[in-house]
Amino acid sequence: MLFLTSCQNYYKAIQVHLVPPANKSSVIDSLRLSEKYFILRSGSDAFSMVNPVLNADRKTMVCILDSVPFYHQLQLVKGADRSKKYKKSDPLNSMVLNEVHFFTPQDNAAAFGVYTLRLDRIQKIEIIENDKNRTTGSHILGGVLFTIGILAISSAIFASSFNF
């Protein structure tokens, strides 16, 4: 039982450094080409960014804002409580590893439908990825606990076989 509860998969949010500001359009291009799932975090609101396209001036990005589907809400919910666990065996749960979050100040223009995001309003970009160190540590701990459990059970069985 301890083995099963200690082998967890974790993710982490990696903040992209945006200095110089012109770097934003290059980062967005790269993320778009790698088919990441874009989420706009405008103040306390969150939107799915459908079909994001950088304008020719590379200063704005046009997209369609939609609701974030439940299978892309893990970081929105779990990120707040810092557990940052996901189930690798659940394809919907592991979709968190394909997300990119764009943080802006609250924007009253951000609503469902066509939206133009000025890149200079982006305060932070976070890419979600597997937390290899924390996941590996969890699996090692699980293996150690499993081994200790097996040794304890084996010892108890062995000791009880000599009881007269």
Side-chain angles (χ1 to χ4, degrees):
M1 178 65 113
L2 288 173
F3 174 69
L4 295 175
T5 60
S6 49
C7 288
Q8 303 289 330
N9 293 293
Y10 295 92
Y11 66 90
K12 61 184 174 182
I14 303 296
Q15 188 168 336
V16 176
H17 297 287
L18 299 174
V19 178
N23 191 26
K24 289 179 188 176
S25 61
S26 298
V27 167
I28 291 168
D29 259 345
S30 172
L31 293 169
R32 210 172 44 77
L33 290 172
S34 63
E35 299 183 4
K36 294 291 188 180
Y37 187 85
F38 287 14
I39 296 176
L40 175 65
R41 308 281 293 272
S42 175
S44 61
D45 297 327
F47 300 92
S48 171
M49 299 173 73
V50 181
N51 300 325
V53 177
L54 279 171
N55 283 350
D57 65 4
R58 302 186 64 78
K59 293 180 182 178
T60 60
M61 178 171 46
V62 176
C63 64
I64 298 170
L65 294 183
D66 201 354
S67 58
V68 179
F70 75 93
Y71 48 85
H72 276 292
Q73 292 184 11
L74 188 63
Q75 169 64 4
L76 299 177
V77 176
K78 294 283 189 179
D81 74 4
R82 301 230 181 256
S83 70
K84 298 194 178 192
K85 294 179 190 175
Y86 72 95
K87 294 178 182 171
K88 190 175 183 178
S89 61
D90 180 351
L92 292 179
N93 203 247
S94 60
M95 290 181 111
V96 70
L97 300 178
N98 195 40
E99 294 176 2
V100 177
H101 294 250
F102 295 89
F103 292 83
T104 66
Q106 186 70 42
D107 183 358
N108 292 333
F112 298 125
V114 177
Y115 176 72
T116 300
L117 173 62
R118 288 187 6 231
L119 300 189
D120 63 352
R121 291 192 42 87
I122 298 173
Q123 297 173 323
K124 169 172 76 166
I125 299 175
E126 287 183 348
I127 300 172
I128 309 300
E129 65 180 35
N130 182 34
D131 188 341
K132 293 175 188 166
N133 291 337
R134 198 168 171 199
T135 298
T136 300
S138 169
H139 288 234
I140 290 171
L141 176 62
V144 168
L145 291 175
F146 180 76
T147 303
I148 289 171
I150 293 297
L151 290 174
I153 291 169
S154 298
S155 296
I157 292 171
F158 183 72
S160 68
S161 66
F162 287 107
N163 270 345
F164 292 99

